[in-house]
Amino acid sequence: MVSDSCIVETTATKPTALVTGAARGIGLAISQRLIEEGFALVMLDTNDAVHAAAQDIAKHGGVVKSVVMDISDGDQVALLPEKVGVLWSSLGVLVNNAGISPKHNGRKKNVDEMAIEEWINVIDVNLTGTFRVMQQCLPVMKENRWGRIINITSQAARTRTVVPGAHYSASKAGITGLSRVLAGEVAAWGITVNCVAPGRIESQMTQAVGASVNSQVATMIPVGRLGLPHEVASAVAYLASKDSSYITGATIDVNGGAFML
């Protein structure tokens, strides 16, 4: 039986950062970047592969803990402080990256053909899961009077896109609204809340629709290609830093010019 958590420790120079959906893709790139920036790191995912990912990152130094958890399960999220353990008291950065975007034979379901169970599942993971994790993390950030909450939304939250389903777009738009409200509520504690909205990024999620679709999408992007996970991680690293202290309630678009506002 695989343990639901493990820790590899050397040194860390900054507070603890928690990244959800950290086992692969954008979440893994964010985790790697935050370790490079000197944060202690908690990597959370539903997949046991998060343990191997954490061990690989820790080879280059840093404090890394991995936790297997389903953020759509309120009972599991309630155990987050216990699972994180000694690193919890120094929690300063939360990156809500976990999300799902179901496809069927490489395509989305339209609204009139989507099962209500699929809609509920996506909202539970993407939106309600983000809400639950933030609720758990806010008390320790308030106690420390410092925090950086960074929510990974999507270009699909900002404008119509043809690949994701309505549930995905609605969940990401919901996170954007939630982030603005929370930013106003917690600013007095030195906590900022911002969003990073990736466009089409090379990852396992985008590969689900096939190379031909991604190639077609790339022709509509001004820079002429899909983005890379480390390009999203760079935006997150800035928002996680002390240099971003006067930015809150904002959305940073990382989409190669596919959406400009």
Side-chain angles (χ1 to χ4, degrees):
M1 180 176 179
V2 179
S3 171
D4 65 355
S5 66
C6 69
I7 187 167
V8 181
E9 182 172 348
T10 52
T11 58
T13 60
K14 293 183 179 179
T16 297
L18 189 156
V19 182
T20 70
R24 63 183 191 174
I26 291 173
L28 180 58
I30 291 169
S31 299
Q32 291 168 329
R33 180 61 184 268
L34 293 178
I35 275 288
E36 291 170 4
E37 296 292 326
F39 291 95
L41 178 66
V42 178
M43 301 173 65
L44 188 151
D45 206 289
T46 57
N47 195 321
D48 290 341
V50 73
H51 297 322
Q55 290 170 351
D56 188 58
I57 288 177
K59 291 176 183 176
H60 305 288
V63 179
V64 186
K65 184 179 181 71
S66 54
V67 176
V68 174
M69 181 174 291
D70 179 358
I71 64 169
S72 70
D73 185 329
D75 291 337
Q76 291 188 39
V77 176
L79 297 175
L80 191 56
E82 176 185 330
K83 296 295 184 182
V84 172
V86 295
L87 295 178
W88 187 254
S89 62
S90 64
L91 182 68
V93 175
L94 168 63
V95 183
N96 284 302
N97 169 71
I100 58 174
S101 182
K103 300 292 185 297
H104 303 270
N105 297 318
R107 63 175 293 271
K108 68 176 183 178
K109 291 282 189 180
N110 291 333
V111 170
D112 60 352
E113 60 185 358
M114 184 182 295
I116 187 63
E117 292 80 10
E118 182 174 303
W119 169 275
I120 291 170
N121 187 38
V122 172
I123 298 299
D124 279 350
V125 174
N126 296 5
L127 179 55
T128 308
T130 293
F131 175 83
R132 286 190 176 108
V133 175
M134 290 195 299
Q135 274 198 325
Q136 284 295 316
C137 294
L138 281 169
V140 68
M141 289 183 176
K142 284 185 173 182
E143 183 176 346
N144 294 335
R145 300 197 68 83
W146 191 87
R148 299 285 184 265
I149 297 176
I150 303 150
N151 295 323
I152 306 302
T153 57
S154 173
Q155 181 183 334
R158 311 269 278 167
T159 185
R160 177 182 176 270
T161 56
V162 297
V163 179
H167 42 21
Y168 182 82
S169 294
S171 68
K172 294 299 187 176
I175 293 171
T176 303
L178 172 61
S179 300
R180 291 195 187 108
V181 173
L182 183 59
E185 292 177 351
V186 299
W189 282 270
I191 302 168
T192 63
V193 186
N194 292 290
C195 297
V196 173
R200 202 75 183 150
I201 306 296
E202 292 185 8
S203 67
Q204 289 89 340
M205 182 181 288
T206 57
Q207 290 170 0
V209 300
S212 61
V213 173
N214 288 321
S215 295
Q216 182 179 7
V217 171
T219 65
M220 298 182 285
I221 299 172
V223 302
R225 63 174 176 85
L226 271 59
L228 299 173
H230 75 82
E231 293 172 312
V232 180
S234 294
V236 171
Y238 171 65
L239 291 175
S241 73
K242 293 182 178 179
D243 292 337
S244 67
S245 57
Y246 203 55
I247 300 174
T248 196
T251 295
I252 295 180
D253 293 301
V254 184
N255 59 38
F259 172 74
M260 301 182 190
L261 178 64

